[in-house]
Amino acid sequence: MDAVLGDDHEIYHVEFQAQNHSMMHERMLDYYLGLVERYTDTKTSDGPTIRQYVLYVGSDRLNMKPYIVRDRFRFCYPMRSIKAFHYGWRNTLWGSGHPEDWILLLLTLPRYSEKPWLDVAVKIANLSEDRRENAETHALLLIACILRNIPRQIQEEIETMIKIDLNRSRIFRQVFDDGASLSRSTFLLDEIEHYIARNGLEFDQTKREDLADLEDEEIMDIFRHFMDASDKQGFLDTWSIGRRYP
């Protein structure tokens, strides 16, 4: 879970999502059940109210489903794009003394405009260099550029202005590590697709999409079992989300 805050009366769970995820509603239900299990009194069955939110920070249009309605079961939670907060937040964020708020302002912009990105870069470039957190601020600005698909020319201009020191940035090292994990998963998915195409196997499109939505470790586990399977077509026919392989 990205953020969990609260007390004995209320617990707030917030997920920050950079990409649309077709199974987000199921993930949120899993998180909810985990919070209920952890914070419910086993003797009285009482517990704090759990309030869940999804804040979408991606550049594409928000199209995730914030609910599950099935049979007599109902589960839902608020979901909003960070861009929806621009007009209510812009003056407060721009006037803040915290550089992270200036970057947050950029993420709320309803559409791309070159000037605010360069204005924020100038303010950040003028921060003193003797504080470690300033290296993290520089990294956050570049991450924001990537999230918003800023034109390469402007991104290079920003990089030149802020002169980021990658060795001092814990955040950038974490992003590189996560990116390496994502690259491995993408490579394994491509390998499965190539094997299917080379050998004339069949794999349902819905299952393809389900597989691509899985977490990195699950994809790696499935890849190993697929390559070890003596009947690979049989493996593809019986594979489904949630199945566990010995």
Side-chain angles (χ1 to χ4, degrees):
M1 302 184 197
D2 290 337
V4 179
L5 304 169
D7 53 29
D8 293 338
H9 304 290
E10 287 184 315
I11 290 178
Y12 290 87
H13 164 219
V14 182
E15 283 295 302
F16 302 94
Q17 193 67 18
Q19 293 180 325
N20 287 295
H21 193 304
S22 64
M23 304 302 291
M24 193 66 197
H25 49 293
E26 292 194 6
R27 283 178 54 192
M28 292 299 287
L29 177 58
D30 285 341
Y31 291 146
Y32 177 81
L33 294 175
L35 289 169
V36 168
E37 180 179 7
R38 180 171 181 178
Y39 294 106
T40 297
D41 189 308
T42 56
K43 294 181 179 179
T44 64
S45 296
D46 294 332
T49 300
I50 298 172
R51 305 188 186 280
Q52 292 183 291
Y53 298 86
V54 171
L55 184 60
Y56 179 65
V57 298
S59 58
D60 295 333
R61 182 174 176 271
L62 171 61
N63 60 21
M64 291 180 287
K65 184 171 68 174
Y67 61 85
I68 298 175
V69 178
R70 181 170 180 176
D71 303 323
R72 290 180 295 174
F73 179 72
R74 302 289 186 273
F75 172 75
C76 63
Y77 49 89
M79 176 186 292
R80 296 187 72 180
S81 168
I82 196 171
K83 295 178 181 180
F85 297 95
H86 176 71
Y87 296 105
W89 285 8
R90 57 182 177 181
N91 292 334
T92 299
L93 293 174
W94 183 245
S96 169
H98 299 289
E100 295 86 351
D101 288 340
W102 311 335
I103 299 171
L104 195 59
L105 172 64
L106 297 175
L107 294 180
T108 69
L109 291 171
R111 61 192 63 83
Y112 170 72
S113 175
E114 176 182 313
K115 185 177 185 303
W117 285 88
L118 294 178
D119 288 346
V120 168
V122 168
K123 292 181 72 171
I124 289 177
N126 289 330
L127 294 172
S128 63
E129 298 182 0
D130 58 346
R131 297 171 57 185
R132 177 178 175 81
E133 56 266 33
N134 288 345
E136 307 295 16
T137 301
H138 292 185
L140 287 173
L141 179 57
L142 290 188
I143 292 169
C145 289
I146 295 169
L147 282 173
R148 285 294 174 268
N149 298 315
I150 299 306
R152 187 61 202 166
Q153 178 183 352
I154 301 302
Q155 187 171 329
E156 289 176 350
E157 186 173 345
I158 290 174
E159 290 173 356
T160 301
M161 292 169 63
I162 62 178
K163 300 182 178 64
I164 185 169
D165 183 354
L166 299 182
N167 293 322
R168 294 182 62 200
S169 173
R170 173 188 56 80
I171 292 175
F172 234 80
R173 289 198 302 271
Q174 179 182 341
V175 169
F176 286 143
D177 290 342
D178 290 346
S181 177
L182 178 61
S183 296
R184 285 194 298 272
S185 298
T186 302
F187 171 77
L188 295 179
L189 289 173
D190 287 344
E191 283 296 295
I192 292 176
E193 288 288 349
H194 291 157
Y195 190 99
I196 290 172
R198 287 196 307 270
N199 294 276
L201 302 179
E202 296 181 358
F203 193 35
D204 179 82
Q205 181 60 32
T206 300
K207 288 187 176 184
R208 277 186 165 90
E209 295 171 359
D210 290 342
L211 179 59
D213 280 339
L214 293 179
E215 300 295 333
D216 300 339
E217 291 184 3
E218 293 176 294
I219 291 174
M220 287 185 270
D221 183 58
I222 289 167
F223 175 81
R224 287 193 295 269
H225 284 93
F226 172 73
M227 298 308 295
D228 290 342
S230 57
D231 180 6
K232 290 184 170 52
Q233 184 61 65
F235 181 93
L236 295 174
D237 292 341
T238 59
W239 181 83
S240 63
I241 284 183
R243 178 174 174 182
R244 296 293 180 262
Y245 299 93

